[in-house]
Amino acid sequence: MTMSMSAASLPVFTTMLGNLSHILGKAAAHAEAKKFDPVVLLQYRLAPDMLPFTRQVLIACDAAKNGVARISGVEAPRFEDNEASFPELQERIRKTLAYLASVPAGALDGTEDKEITFPAGRDKTRTMKAEAYLKHWALPNFFFHITMAYAILRHNGVDLGKADYLAGANAG
């Protein structure tokens, strides 16, 4: 039995964005408990040539909404990328989740062979079939940025474990 494009994308993006929201909540609580400015976490990067935490969250949201939009043809909302606090990042995740919830499964299903052309660097594009794009570009890119956000917070002492990454608020 094959898996539909909607089943392979919407619940995965939705679940992981919920988990990202959960770890953001833990990060904000950590900064408050330790009495330091949360901007320290928001601007932190693991390496000098790496994007900071805030950009990791923004790109994860964009990877989900733009990936679904490219496959489905349902226009994605444009965000200004000016979030600078945990509440603003939480709102960005909420808006992304609302968009994902608005995309009908039927707009994704049956698109496996649709040609998707997308940005692949500053001045480059790449074209792939939708199924390959989802499996080998959109989802890996999405997971990369969520993982980097998790790693930045974990590196900075936020009490996170694998269960927070995988199960979010349902971590037990």
Side-chain angles (χ1 to χ4, degrees), residues 115-138:
E115 293 281 327
I116 306 292
T117 300
F118 57 96
R122 294 188 193 272
D123 299 317
K124 297 178 187 174
T125 61
R126 187 166 178 191
T127 301
M128 301 171 81
K129 300 279 187 185
E131 183 177 4
Y133 167 74
L134 177 64
K135 290 178 179 177
H136 305 292
W137 190 275

Side-chain angles (χ1 to χ4, degrees), residues 3-77:
M3 184 183 301
S4 70
M5 292 289 283
S6 63
S9 60
L10 293 173
V12 176
F13 289 134
T14 299
T15 297
M16 290 306 295
L17 286 172
N19 297 353
L20 181 60
S21 176
H22 166 74
I23 69 171
L24 262 64
K26 289 187 87 169
H30 177 77
E32 186 175 324
K34 298 289 185 179
K35 301 191 183 332
F36 67 83
D37 186 349
V39 170
V40 171
L41 293 176
L42 295 167
Q43 294 179 351
Y44 195 87
R45 56 184 81 216
L46 290 177
D49 64 346
M50 187 177 192
L51 294 171
F53 175 81
T54 296
R55 291 293 302 157
Q56 302 297 336
V57 174
L58 300 183
I59 293 171
C61 290
D62 287 350
K65 76 178 175 72
N66 293 336
V68 167
R70 289 180 185 121
I71 295 167
S72 69
V74 176
E75 187 173 344

Side-chain angles (χ1 to χ4, degrees), residues 104-122:
L108 291 154
D109 294 339
T111 61
E112 293 82 357
D113 291 325
K114 176 182 177 182
E115 293 281 327
I116 306 292
T117 300
F118 57 96
R122 294 188 193 272

